[in-house]
Structure formats: structure tokens, C-alpha cells
Amino acid sequence: MSAVPRTRTRTRSRARARTEKAAHPVSVRGRTLRLASGRLSLRIRPRPLAVTLLLALLAAGSGALALTRDGLVPPAEVLGALFGAGSEQAAFVVLELRLPRVTLGLVVGAALGAAGALFQQLSRNPLGSPDIVGFNSGAATGALLVLLHGDPAYVAAGAAGGGLATAVIVQLLARRGSFRGNRLILAGIAVGSLLTSVNSYLLTRAALDHAQSAQLWLIGSLGSTERDQILPALLALAALLLLALPLVRRLDLLEMGDEAAGGLGIDAGRTRVLVLLVAVGLSAVAVSVAGPIVFVALCAPQLARRLSRGTGTGLLPAAAMGALLLSASDLLAVTLPTAGPLPVGVVTGALGGVYLAWLLGRRQRG
């Protein structure tokens, strides 16, 4: 006879809990941010969050230095130009020449860092970055076909199509038997080498002026960026990061193995395909704007992971580190005492080589 009152009590408690949950659609329980529906939850870790904020501030500071470089426009006039109160000369230099380059450098760096984090976690290999495994080469092939034989306005679509086609080919080669990270790396390197040859062939068949501009673009450069590229690139980055956030937790659970993750309701194959599509999209955003810039996607996730001392994908710290690395590299490229401004890809390639040499020496000492 006492079972009925207990059942009613439990029912009332559940109803009261649902009411309170509906009144507060977002709640933070300890270190977990969870929506009322329970379909999306974000785990907040203090150290990675602090590292992300610090890296973002440093990246913004690097961009601010780029706006005031060489003393041509004093800092006070830069602020005036940003808020519409400066002279026409300062407004032209800041808003037309420097701000698009700085902003797109931050966007491209963040896209590369996030893409590298997803690729490395997907392949479970620190070499699994889009520039190493051929996805950037595929995106560059698609963009080159548009640059040399079509309308430059469709470069982004060409880069996305080339990257997606490369991803499909690499996945088909890597999935023979069962999915293995090392197979993905080897298949990507093989396909990337073939596509590099294709890109060289395309340059030899192009007109001289088109080939020169395309060659500079292939190195990786922010020198030809324009204001109308900012909003599409920024919106694409934001959308892809929002799509990636729910996938990160599922991707991290795959470290336990496909069977264990399947026991938790994770579809391993579907998760990998979705992660790959988002990562290719991020690479395409970067390549369509600045060309296939090397080593940022490789170094940013590893450096961010060392600073945050975290495990898993580390998507947001890697994106912030990528923005800082590319912004600082571009600032260095335009301030070095060379015959002319260097393409940023030259600087990132040199810094990436130094990083790999340091990493190799550190492992040998260990």
C-alpha cells in the first residue's frame, strides 16, 4: 500500500525537476555547460580555457602591432581610423591596406589550427595535418583550376571541391581492411605528392602572368587579401567551428576503440566522416583565402596541447594558437629587412622546420 504514495512522490519530483530545467535552459554543473535538451554539453576545463583566452589576446596584440608597424600611422590615428574619426590617409592605410590582411590572417590561422587538431585526433598521429597528408594540395588543385581557367570569385568553391575529392580518395585508400591512422597518413602523403605534380603541370600550361600570381599564391600569402573576403571567411569559420564542437566529444571517445565507443552509442564510421568533412571545410577556407600555408596546422595543436596540458582534440586552444602563429609570422614577414615583403608561407615554413628540429632534438635527449 505504501508503493502508490512513493510512486506519486517520484512523479511529482520528476515533474518539478522538468519545470526547473525548463525555467533555466542553460545550466553549468561544476565544469560542464549543458543545454536543457541534453543534446549538447560542453565540458569547461579551467587551464585550457585560460590558455585559449591568453592565446587569443596575444593574437589580437600581434594584429594590433601589424596595424601600427613602421610608424607610418601612429597608434592614436589607428584608433581614430577604426572608429571613423581619423584622417583620410590613415583610414585608407588602416582600413583598406592593413586591416583586411590582419583580420584574414587571424581567421586563416584559426582555421588551420582547428583543422590540424581534428586531423591529428582523427588519425591519432601528430603528423596528421592537412598540409602533410595532401588535403591542402587537393584544395590548391581545385583553386588553381579556377584561378587559371575560370572566375576568381569561385576560388573558395574550387578549393572546397578539390579538398573534398582528395578526402574521398584518401579515405578509400585508407579504409582498405580497417581504418588505421598510419594508413591515412601514408595514403595522404602519396595522393599529396601526385597532386603537387598536377599543380606544377597546371602552372606550366598557364599564361605567364597567371602562372606568376598563382605561384605566389601556392607559397602562401596574405598580400592580396581584400575587404570583401573577410565576412565570408569569418562566417564559414564560425559555422564550421560550431559544427565541430558537438563532434569533438564523440571523436575523443573513439580513442577507447570502436567497440567501446559503440557501446556508448557512438557511430564510429559516421563520426569520422563528419569530422573529416568539417576538417576539409576548414582547410578549404584557409586555402581559398591565402593558399596552402604550411606547418601552422601541424604545429599549432601540439603547442596548444603542451601549454594546456590537456588530452583529446583541444579544438579551441589549437584554433587560438593557429591564429597567433600566423599573425606573428605575417608580422615578421612584412618587417624583416629583405628586398621586399616575404610571403607568409616562407616564414611559416622556416619556423616549422625549426620546430621539427627542436622536437627531434628533444626526443633524442629524452
Side-chain angles (χ1 to χ4, degrees):
M1 295 178 62
S2 60
V4 175
R6 289 178 183 175
T7 303
R8 291 177 179 174
T9 302
R10 284 195 296 267
T11 303
R12 292 171 183 172
S13 300
R14 292 171 183 170
R16 189 182 302 111
R18 286 195 296 267
T19 303
E20 292 175 355
K21 195 174 185 180
H24 304 282
V26 179
S27 60
V28 178
R29 297 183 180 180
R31 297 179 182 178
T32 302
L33 180 67
R34 188 182 302 277
L35 295 181
S37 61
R39 296 180 179 179
L40 177 62
S41 62
L42 301 176
R43 187 174 183 183
I44 300 175
R45 299 176 180 175
R47 186 180 179 93
L49 178 60
V51 168
T52 301
L53 294 177
L54 177 61
L55 293 174
L57 289 175
L58 291 175
S62 176
L65 286 177
L67 292 178
T68 59
R69 69 176 188 270
D70 66 30
L72 181 62
V73 182
E77 292 194 20
V78 170
L79 290 176
L82 292 175
F83 291 100
S87 63
E88 293 184 2
Q89 179 183 0
F92 175 76
V93 172
V94 174
L95 300 180
E96 299 295 333
L97 299 181
R98 295 184 177 178
L99 186 61
R101 179 170 184 154
V102 169
T103 305
L104 284 173
L106 295 172
V107 172
V108 170
L112 288 174
L118 291 175
F119 273 119
Q120 290 179 13
Q121 185 69 2
L122 181 65
S123 62
R124 303 178 193 174
N125 193 312
L127 294 178
S129 65
D131 49 337
I132 298 294
V133 299
F135 293 106
N136 279 2
S137 297
T141 302
L144 269 180
L145 290 172
V146 176
L147 278 174
L148 301 178
H149 302 96
D151 188 347
Y154 297 99
V155 169
L164 184 59
T166 305
V168 171
I169 295 172
V170 172
Q171 274 288 87
L172 291 176
L173 293 175
R175 287 182 64 88
R176 184 179 179 183
S178 59
F179 184 90
R180 290 291 185 273
N182 290 335
R183 292 185 64 89
L184 180 68
I185 300 297
L186 293 175
I189 290 175
V191 173
S193 298
L194 292 174
L195 291 174
T196 300
S197 300
V198 171
N199 294 341
S200 300
Y201 172 77
L202 291 175
L203 290 177
T204 62
R205 308 305 298 175
L208 182 59
D209 54 342
H210 289 170
Q212 288 177 342
S213 60
Q215 180 62 44
L216 178 63
W217 179 84
L218 280 174
I219 298 173
S221 175
L222 294 168
S224 60
T225 55
E226 299 178 358
R227 291 185 63 181
D228 58 359
Q229 295 177 302
I230 296 177
L231 185 59
L234 189 59
L235 291 177
L237 173 65
L240 289 168
L241 288 179
L242 287 176
L243 289 174
L245 285 175
L247 298 173
V248 166
R249 185 178 179 184
R250 284 185 265 171
L251 181 62
D252 293 341
L253 289 176
L254 292 182
E255 289 187 357
M256 301 185 302
D258 291 0
E259 294 184 0
L264 298 174
I266 305 298
D267 188 335
R270 184 171 180 269
T271 298
R272 289 193 178 99
V273 170
L274 291 176
V275 170
L276 188 63
L277 289 176
V278 173
V280 168
L282 289 167
S283 300
V285 169
V287 171
S288 63
V289 172
I293 296 176
V294 297
F295 278 117
V296 174
L298 175 69
C299 300
Q302 300 181 31
L303 292 174
R305 193 174 293 113
R306 289 177 182 275
L307 290 176
S308 62
R309 298 178 185 174
T311 58
T313 305
L315 182 70
L316 296 182
M321 177 61 79
L324 174 59
L325 287 178
L326 191 57
S327 178
S329 297
D330 191 50
L331 178 60
L332 185 61
V334 298
T335 55
L336 283 174
T338 56
L342 290 174
V344 68
V346 174
V347 178
T348 59
L351 294 178
V354 172
Y355 170 75
L356 289 179
W358 170 81
L359 192 62
L360 180 61
R362 189 172 183 272
R363 290 192 174 183
Q364 286 179 346
R365 289 194 302 268

